[in-house]
Structure formats: C-alpha cells, structure tokens
Amino acid sequence: MDLPKPNSEIIARKPQIVALLQVVLPDDAVIYDEHEVKAYECDALASYRCPPMIVVLPSSTEEVAAVLKICHAEGVPVVPRGSGTSLAGGALPTADSVVLGVSKLNKALEINYDDRYIRVQSGRTNLSVTGAVEALDFFYAPDPSSQLACAIAGNIAMNSGGAHCLKYGVTTNNLLGVKMVTMEGEVMDIGGAHLDAASYDLLGLICGSEGQLGVVTEATLRILHKPEGARPVLIGYDSNEVAGACVSDIIQAGVLPVAIEFMDRPVIRAAENFVGAGYPDVEALLIVEVEGSEAEIDEQLALITEIAKRHNPVELRESQSAGESAAIWAGRKVAFGAMGQISDYMCLDGTIPVSQLPLVLGRITELSEEYGLDVGNVFHAGDGNMHPLILYDANKQGDLETCEKMGAEILKLCVEVGGCLTGEHGVGIEKRDLMTTQYTDVDIECQLRVKDVFDAKWLLNPAKVFPLAATESRRT
Amino acid sequence: MMKPTSEVDLAEAIASTTGPVRIVGGDTRQIGNPVKGEVLNTSGLSGITLYEPGALTMVARAGTPLMEIEAALAAEGQRLPFEPSDMRAIYGASGQSTIGGVVATNSSGPRRIQAGACRDSLIGVRFVDGQGQIVKNGGRVMKNVTGYDLVKLMAGSHGTLGILTEVSFKVSPAPEASSTVMVEGLSDTDAVTAMSAALGSPFDVNGVAHINGRTVIRVEGLDGLVKYRAAKLVDKIGGVVVDFDWGAVQNIGDIAGREGDIWRFSVKPSDGPKLGAALRAAGATEVVYDWGGGLIWALSPKGDDMRSAMGSISGNATLIRGEGHPVFQPEAKEIEFLNTGLRAKFDPRNILNAGRMG
C-alpha cells in the first residue's frame, strides 16, 4: 500500500505552523516533538505506520475551527482521529499532516429522555454513551466490537455497525444531528433533535464520509429503552452451507432476531481455548438472540428452534439463565482477541447477499488452500457482513503481501456475488485501491465532486477512500 | 414528452437535451415549486429486478408502481418498513405512485418513528445525473460503507440531483398481528406526554399519533407478543385496545381532501404541543400529531403563513399544498452554500426539476 509522497515544502515550514497553532491552543494541546508524535503513527491497522508532523488535541469546537482555519490557510493536510481504532487505516497520518485528535471532546452535553436523544461531544466513546443513559434503562444501539474504546467521531466517520444492527440499524440510522467544522473552519449544525432534513440529507452524506468532508465535534444520537430481556440460542451444524441456509430461513420466517452471529470451526476452537465457553466442536455455530418479555422470548425462540431443527443441528442449546446467556456470548465476544493469540491476522469486512453465504464460504476455503494461509470466519450472518480473518506471520518476509493479495481476492468475490468491499469498517487506505472493482470511474468521479464541494483544496484526510491515481490531480 | 424504456436511453436523452426537464413518475406527490420543462416520464423504467425474501432485499426500477412492489412483498409476508404515505387525496391526483417518487420525496409514514424513514431502508440507487451520466451508489446489501453514501443524499432530493433509475431496499417481515391502544380526550400536552411514555417504554411501539382528540399507539409482531404489549401499554398510559385505521394518520385522511393549505412540521416531540397551540392561534383549523408529537400536519386557510408559528422552535416546515410561501424551510447560509454546490456538481446545467426545491 502506497502513501502519497509527503510535501517537503510543508514539512520545512513546521516551526511556523507549530507557532501558529500554539496561538490558538494551549501549549499541551500541540504535540510536535518527533518522539511524542509517534504515539499517533498508526491506528488499529498497525501494519502501516507513519508519524505525523504535528498532533493537536483541541478541547472545544472553537479550537477545532481555529486549527482548521490555520491549516486551510497554510495548505496543510489534516487527518482527523477519534480513538484510533480504525481497522482500515482511516486515521493513518502522512508525514506532512496535522493529526486532529478529538479525545478531549468527551462530554455528554444533554440528555433528553422524553425526546429520546443524547447530545455528546464526538470524542466520547461508544460504550460511555450508553453509560450515560443506562441508569434509566436506555441505551445507544450501534455496538461495534471496539465499543469500549472507539469514539463516536470515528463511528460517524465510518458509519459503524455492530452485532445488533439487524434490528437497530447502523450509525446512520441512529444519528439525528451533528455539529461539524469544515476545512475552512466554518461551524455548522446539521440536523438536530427533530427527524428528517429540510432539504438535502447532508447528515446522511456526512455519516460514512471517513473524515473527508468535515470534522464532527458534537453528535445528537437516538437512544432507546432497553427491551425487557434478551436471550440467545446456540445452534451447531456440521457444515457452513447448512448453517447459512438456516440463517436465510430464520430471516424469512417473519421473526427478526436482534442478532445472528456465525463462527466457523477455527474460530470456535480458538474462542473455546481462550475462554472455555463450552462450545461444541462443530463446523459452524450460530448465536441467535431475541428480545422481549419472558413469554415473548419463549414464543420467538420456539419458532427459531423449530426452523433450526429442520436443518438437523448437531447441537441446539437454548439459554436457561443469565449465566448461560453470558457463556454463549463469551466466546463470540473474545473471538477476535482469541484469534490474535494464535497468529497475526488481517480482518476483512466484505458484505454479501445472505443467499451467497455457502458459495462464498466454500470459495474462501479454496483460496485458503491456494495461498497457504489459514482463515477463520466470524461475522454478522443476518446481514451478510462477513469478517474473514486471514492468519499470517508478520515476521515472515512476504507473508503480509500474500495475505493482502488473498484478502483482495475475497473482497473482489464479495463484489462479484452482489455485495460490497466493506460493511462497517470503512475503506480507509486498506481497500482504497479496490474501489474500482465496485465502482466505475463515473461512480467515483461523482463522489470526488462531493468532496470538492466540502473541501475544495482536498486537505481533509485526502489520501483515503479513493485510489490515489484518481485523486492525484485534486490533491496536488 | 420523453419516455425512455431503458437506463441507457434515458442517459442519452439527458445528454442530448438542452432544455429543462420535468421528471414525472405517477405525479401523485406534487411537493415543491411547479417545474417547467419537457416531461420525462419514468413509467417505461418499470419492474422488480431482484427480490430475495431470504435476504430481506428488493431491487426495482424507479418507475415501478408502489402497488406492484407492495403486492410482491405481501405475497412473501414482507413489507416496506417505512410505510410510505399515499398523497393522492392531498393533490387530487389519480395516478399510480411509483417507487422512484417515494424515494425522491423520502416519503415515510407513522412507522418512521421506530423503523426509520425511506432513506433508512434505501440501500442502493442508480441514477442519471444532469449531464446524462449513469451513476450507481450503494448496492443490494444492507450493510455497506464503501465510499460516500449518496444513497441518503438522493432520497428526498426531489429529482434535483439526478433521475433515479433503480432503487434497492432492505425490507422487513410483515407482522402476524397489530394492535392499537387508544386514549380519548387528552389535551395536546398530555397526549405528547403519554406518547413519550409509550416511546420510552420497552414495548417497541411503531405508531404513535394524536388525531381528533384520540391518542393512538400501535404495536406489531407475533400475536401473543402484541396482546401482551398492548396490555402493558394500557397499564402504563390508560385507554383501551381498539381497531384503528392507521391510514387516517399515514395519509392524513381526515384533512387531505379538505379545502385549505397543508403544512408539515418536523420538530422535537416535546415542542409539539407548543407548536400546535401556535398554529391554532395563527389560524390552523386542524392539527394532527404523528411520530409521538414530532411530526405535525396542519390545515390552514389558503395563503396564510404557518411557518412563522414556529418562532424559536427548531426543526423545519414544508408547505405540502399551497402557494405564496417557500415550500421548503430556508436553510442557514452555510448549509445553503453546500446544497447549491452539490446541485452544481450533479446537474451543472440546472435542467433537472429546476426550481423544484427553491
């Protein structure tokens, strides 16, 4: 993966730029020491690193606006950063950039239970949004795996999902409004506590724009009352195909579970070794969770287990207690970490039509043999959002490159069968060069023109999302 | 009149035309300023192109009648989650609503409060821009963050950014049962309090309206589940379980056919009663609350300004039927700058539904 060549003329002006930033920010909010900026050299796509020129940590929307005005006037690229948990390299700096971290913007500003929203500063972590409202049994629905650490700013940038979006939707379906600062330093409110835009749906456009259209400093988020209860059932099958068919039948049956999670044998074993969840040693495991009162849960689970039984499961375990529910989820929740114990891995995020699950899983197995790299599958099956984990050895020469090649083949396959490159992680730098497999030049040009409107000088996170060749004339 | 029968024909027609174009599906959602120009009829771009009930996905050409889509979904026990409204009575129109028109106006009914708007179910679009280029965005899978989300931008853009040719939806299972709890005689303020209590409950209500002094709350799902939840709601806010025709809310049946202007307001629900009172003081003869008080429909004497009743309340007002006032809420200048910029990029010749949105 290439990064654009840093502009040496900008780097040469570093002392002047630091001095300008120090005028509008407290001293400790401008980090420019070459050792200290290394803390910001990568996000969760840690195989790519590049220390930025400067890091700024503003504490208010006004400070963000002042920083952006300076960078705009000075022609300095800005890389916005939430908590740095992007798996796609969304917050990866370039050597000539200013990283704008929103971590100090972490307050809950307003909670309104009657109108069911919370207004927070964008650096607040996902889980602490729910934390602010759970005393009254409310919650914020999108729940990415990194929710303990990831910031709402990053969730908005990537339009993050999670395990429960089959019922509750992803970030864009739960975002009511933002306060955003453009690259020129202009502050604007888009949306609010009311529903639907007066004219164009700019809020929908900003969500998922990977920090390329503006820096979001505040967000108004929809909160919901928790259901009375929730209970999972664990279903094991001796083939991925049958598990895939079961998922499809459940969805069609008219009962919409809040989550349908899928794990294959490598992941089941890793999770079992890691946490001892009591998983059976089967080819494929489904965790299906439903919500409601006890009686409602019984009624829904009866329907689901009846469907599951038609496919001859080798294991069917309905949770009978809170402890058993926790055990069923325990392995799934640690799945990524457990795989990380075994090996370095690359986590893909392609989404496919649910009907294509058996075909794609089969082809991934073939590719695994072809490339000589093991793969584990753990994903949100209800919505077809796959997360193949390709195992590789970072210390072995050429292994990462082989892994990336194989990953690209899987993602191309996802597009071929009617899906997409990324369901919830974003394009970042990771899938930038694959955009042309999903979109024509015209499709891409149309998106580039949107950025032209918001950021005419192409200074905000400019080297992401699109193939570098497609954006070169705009960036330079 | 242009009536292309394929996306390619449409693209060529737009690329070669010089004059303004007025896009027409079924002509049943006449929201916005009148548009001059050659009519472009989308009825030649019709038909469901893909329907996978097991994946909750439907793809259809933009000119497909809404009725055809709803019938196909019903045959599989599914439906559009967002409950688009039938606006024919409002405009005295007799045509067939098309799915493209539903998307272009982001039409959403009572279930919007729980299941989201049209834009929330829309997962992919294909359209022809103002220069006759074919653009696609999104796709047919329900989770997709690949590139910018132009899908949302196209929803509710009233044909001013491109001519939709194909749209994809995430659909949902149709419920086994539906039940409505009704409380009569509440003031607007008490009604919004009751509706907020229902929406803030764990019972997953998906219709919450206050119309003609009746406050109605709907739950849907498996039969036993619905009975249980309705009983719980009665415990919480009072009232009784009744049969109720939600068309009265979805299509504002009681006021749609009556004389006068129709305004639509989107505000924070708790601001609803204050706005309702201000609207009545300003001359509105009927006020209907949907979305728990956050959506207000008002019937008012022809030509009277109802938007100013909002005062300092934030939100937006749309003049759905009537003349003499801006149809859409004027935006702040920095938002207007972006809107104008986008329009110039998507339709640089300003020929698609020019002036529709002001």
Side-chain angles (χ1 to χ4, degrees), chain A residues 245-266:
Chain A
C246 179
V247 169
S248 209
D249 283 357
I250 290 171
I251 287 174
Q252 207 172 340
V255 47
L256 198 58
V258 282
I260 305 181
E261 296 291 298
F262 185 116
M263 285 181 278
D264 71 0
R265 194 188 287 273

Side-chain angles (χ1 to χ4, degrees), chain B residues 2-4 6-19 21 38 40 128-132 163 349 351:
Chain B
M2 291 184 266
K3 193 175 169 183
S6 74
E7 187 179 62
V8 172
D9 286 352
L10 169 60
E12 282 169 7
I14 295 302
S16 58
T17 192
T18 52
V21 174
E38 187 180 359
L40 185 132
V128 172
D129 73 7
Q131 290 174 297
I163 304 167
R349 296 183 292 164
I351 61 168

Side-chain angles (χ1 to χ4, degrees), chain B residues 315-351:
Chain B
N316 58 65
T318 310
L319 177 54
I320 294 293
R321 186 182 72 197
E323 288 170 7
H325 305 282
V327 173
F328 297 95
Q329 182 80 17
E331 295 271 25
K333 69 166 183 10
E334 61 274 13
I335 305 277
E336 196 48 47
F337 172 82
L338 295 173
N339 285 347
T340 308
L342 288 168
R343 182 150 163 67
K345 295 288 182 188
F346 281 69
D347 178 20
R349 296 183 292 164
N350 193 24
I351 61 168

Side-chain angles (χ1 to χ4, degrees), chain A residues 115 172-173 195-196 199-201 212 225-226 228 296 351 353 355 383 385 422 424 438-439 443 447, chain B residues 52 56 112 119-120 136 138 140 143 145 148 160 196 199-200 202 225 228-229 266 268 270 316 331 339:
Chain A
D115 294 318
T172 193
N173 313 114
L195 297 172
D196 295 348
S199 53
Y200 293 154
D201 189 353
Q212 290 199 312
H225 194 286
K226 284 181 183 166
E228 287 173 279
E296 290 173 303
T351 304
S355 56
D383 45 34
N385 188 189
T422 172
E424 58 182 1
Q438 187 173 332
Y439 288 121
D443 298 337
Q447 297 182 36
Chain B
E52 272 189 22
L56 299 175
R112 194 262 176 270
R119 57 88 95 175
D120 292 292
K136 74 162 180 300
R140 51 168 286 206
K143 273 168 87 180
V145 297
Y148 296 164
T160 60
S196 285
L199 283 163
L225 182 153
Y228 166 82
R229 291 184 179 181
S266 178
K268 185 167 80 177
S270 58
N316 58 65
E331 295 271 25
N339 285 347

Side-chain angles (χ1 to χ4, degrees), chain A residues 120-141:
Chain A
V120 298
Q121 290 183 316
S122 66
R124 194 170 180 89
T125 62
N126 175 292
L127 199 59
S128 69
V129 172
T130 289
V133 296
E134 69 186 346
L136 287 185
D137 285 332
F138 277 73
F139 73 110
Y140 173 61

Side-chain angles (χ1 to χ4, degrees), chain A residues 365-429:
Chain A
T365 307
E366 287 169 19
L367 285 167
S368 167
E369 281 159 20
E370 224 170 281
Y371 282 84
L373 294 176
D374 288 332
V375 177
N377 283 291
V378 47
F379 59 94
H380 317 303
D383 45 34
N385 188 189
M386 304 189 73
H387 292 314
L389 307 177
I390 310 176
L391 310 189
Y392 73 100
D393 182 351
N395 295 318
K396 195 168 144 195
Q397 187 81 29
D399 228 27
L400 174 64
E401 289 72 20
T402 309
C403 174
E404 286 180 344
K405 265 190 205 147
M406 179 176 159
E409 286 223 36
I410 293 174
L411 292 180
K412 282 179 194 165
L413 174 67
C414 291
V415 175
E416 268 166 38
V417 301
C420 66
L421 298 172
T422 172
E424 58 182 1
H425 295 172
V427 177
I429 59 155

